[in-house]
Amino acid sequence: MDYEPVIGLEVHAQLLTRSKIFCGCSTAFGEPPNTQTCPVCTGQPGSLPVINRKAVEFAIKLGLATHCTIAPYSVFARKNYFYPDLPKGYQISMYEYPLAEYGFIEIIDQGKKKRIGLIRIHMEEDAGKLKHGETPETAPFSYVDFNRTGVPLVEIVSGPDIRSPQEAGEYLRRLRAILQYLEVCTGDMEKGTFRCDANISVRPEGQDRFGTRTELKNMNSFRHVEKALEYEIKRQIALLKDGGKVVQETRLWDAGANITASMRGKEEAHDYRYFPDPDLVPLKIDENWIETIRQSLPELPNQKKERFIREFKIPEYDAEILTSTRAMADYFEESVRLFPEPKTVSNWMMGELLRELKRDDREVDQCSVTPNHLAEMLSMVKDGTISGKIAKDVFEEMYRTGNPPGRIVREKGWVQIVDTGEIEGAVESVIQSNPKLAEDYRNGKEKVFGFLVGEVMKATRGKANPKLVNELLRKKLKGQK
Ligand code: ADP
Ligand code: MG
Ligand code: ZN
């Protein structure tokens, strides 16, 4: 029997407001512990929360960008539980009345468009951070840092519409791109500004009813999410095939061991005793405000993609990749402005540039090759200053050093040889050292020509103009009959 996975994702994204969601404390990252706290975010008796208007605006932006309906009326609720990083003993969240509902995100999986439904987007506050440690001098200790307590979050809950780990990855990349385009979240999984829990079940193919799900936590990269899901699918299928049953539970991804392990079962699951927070009035969102925000939305990934195809006449495949992050799209547009041959720019970005970035696990805005340098280099290829082959070396050098291409070519002596005399010299010596092949060519073996061209290029260390090499080599071979 074949099984089909069913996946639903819950994403927490930190909103990029300057102050916290219910107080005026700064949200700046990396400050000394507990320097950004006040009676409100540390839950002192008698203190009162006041909602941050900017945080609501950012959450509405996301709701609109993901085709949700913004609720005219939503309610903050207390989610009660004890944990040392939660000074109030409850987290302010939303429960029965979330801010936004019924949206979708469009993904492309294996060339096909697919909509992943969004059940809800709600607002809540982040918890603090625990730091556990032990030194030779001390007993094991745990510190708590409340700087993060009260940083605004949105939780985005997808429908159980995802059918493979790859689709889950696509969905997450798309959602992150939307947040980044909107400039409401940095989307950095390693720093924890974008976090994902994954619900996963399997069912026999053709069965309507969903299977029992487990919830996976503790994945801090897209790769981890995909790997954890792959592992969990295999585990659940093996269990069922063995006559066993999947139990509903929360499991933690162990990135070192590449497995998921049970953290707590359904019986130990919390009863959060949600109730409306009496300290906060319900949010009544004005229709006009929603419209104003709608008008202010920037161009979103899909719109940009369509425009790139239209305006720059590049294939959909290219446009999809080039708009996958805002930084990529900006880089592309700036490069094309400076060197108006979009397909050439695209080829270099999708080839050399992405390869280097991927190897170093970097984003395009951390790249030392600026659009300026790329455009300058492409102009040098175009006007014949350097060969297309040398250009790859120039690019690598630009990437490594951050130097402009002009300087690299000058210092390395990589200027293309267009001097016929010099190329002729190389051609002659190649023919002389390969008399057998030259003879073969003259006897009609066209195949060897490419090899001889390669030899000439080698002899000139890739600097000879390939067109001239071709011409001169042919002439020489024929002339010497
Ligand atoms: P909870 O309140 O326990 O988090 P929800 O009903 O809100 O539960 O669902 C949370 C997530 O689990 C959603 O993303 C939803 O799509 C997903 N989900 C629900 N049922 C299943 C299932 N049987 N298999 C996989 N995912 C599921
Ligand atoms: Mg959940
Ligand atoms: Zn505060």
Side-chain angles (χ1 to χ4, degrees), residues 277-291:
D277 192 313
D279 288 344
L280 286 155
V281 292
L283 276 183
K284 283 193 180 155
I285 295 167
D286 187 33
E287 193 58 42
N288 291 328
W289 193 32
I290 298 177
E291 271 323 300

Side-chain angles (χ1 to χ4, degrees), residues 70-305:
I70 306 299
Y73 178 89
S74 47
V75 176
F76 284 106
R78 291 188 182 180
K79 178 177 181 179
N80 300 282
Y81 65 94
F82 171 78
Y83 206 67
D85 65 6
L86 190 74
K88 291 199 295 291
Y90 60 85
Q91 178 194 26
I92 305 180
S93 179
M94 286 174 160
Y95 189 57
E96 288 163 294
Y97 299 97
L99 182 81
E101 288 178 294
Y102 319 120
F104 66 86
I105 288 176
E106 190 176 280
I107 62 164
I108 296 188
D109 191 49
Q110 289 160 0
K112 280 216 295 275
K113 282 183 189 161
K114 176 173 175 182
R115 283 183 180 184
I116 306 298
L118 297 188
I119 299 174
R120 56 193 267 144
I121 297 177
H122 68 250
M123 303 182 69
E124 59 188 31
E125 56 180 347
D126 210 343
K129 246 190 183 153
L130 292 179
K131 190 188 148 136
H132 309 285
E134 186 173 359
T135 69
E137 294 83 38
T138 65
F141 61 82
S142 292
Y143 291 144
V144 62
D145 177 5
F146 290 136
N147 283 355
R148 200 178 70 177
T149 314
V151 168
L153 296 177
V154 275
E155 178 172 340
I156 304 118
V157 183
S158 92
D161 301 342
I162 298 165
R163 291 291 173 271
S164 69
Q166 295 75 353
E167 268 187 32
E170 273 310 301
Y171 168 84
L172 289 175
R173 275 179 260 278
R174 213 62 194 165
L175 172 57
R176 184 177 67 163
I178 292 170
L179 286 161
Q180 289 174 335
Y181 271 65
L182 293 170
E183 294 179 323
V184 300
C185 174
T186 59
D188 191 335
M189 263 188 120
E190 264 112 71
K191 284 209 181 103
T193 67
F194 185 90
R195 317 194 274 268
C196 170
D197 300 337
N199 298 272
I200 160 108
S201 62
V202 299
R203 61 178 171 186
E205 238 162 73
Q207 176 184 303
D208 282 342
R209 194 167 37 82
F210 290 153
T212 306
R213 72 179 143 129
T214 58
E215 184 174 9
L216 311 182
K217 287 182 183 287
N218 199 35
M219 302 151 301
N220 56 11
S221 74
F222 290 138
R223 200 63 212 113
H224 285 180
V225 175
E226 291 178 11
K227 277 165 87 175
L229 286 169
E230 273 157 24
Y231 175 87
E232 187 61 13
I233 291 168
K234 284 208 192 94
R235 189 190 70 86
Q236 291 188 8
I237 292 176
L239 196 61
L240 294 176
K241 283 197 166 158
D242 217 33
K245 266 190 178 152
V246 175
V247 287
Q248 190 172 339
E249 62 181 357
T250 302
R251 299 177 70 89
L252 289 184
W253 172 244
D254 181 337
N258 275 325
I259 56 164
T260 64
S262 181
M263 176 175 100
R264 61 164 180 257
K266 198 183 177 184
E267 310 76 48
E268 304 148 68
H270 295 115
D271 177 353
Y272 294 117
R273 314 254 161 170
Y274 281 99
F275 63 85
D277 192 313
D279 288 344
L280 286 155
V281 292
L283 276 183
K284 283 193 180 155
I285 295 167
D286 187 33
E287 193 58 42
N288 291 328
W289 193 32
I290 298 177
E291 271 323 300
T292 312
I293 295 173
R294 198 194 298 277
Q295 298 308 321
S296 77
L297 289 181
E299 188 180 42
L300 291 163
N302 268 345
Q303 297 164 321
K304 209 184 268 292
K305 187 179 104 187

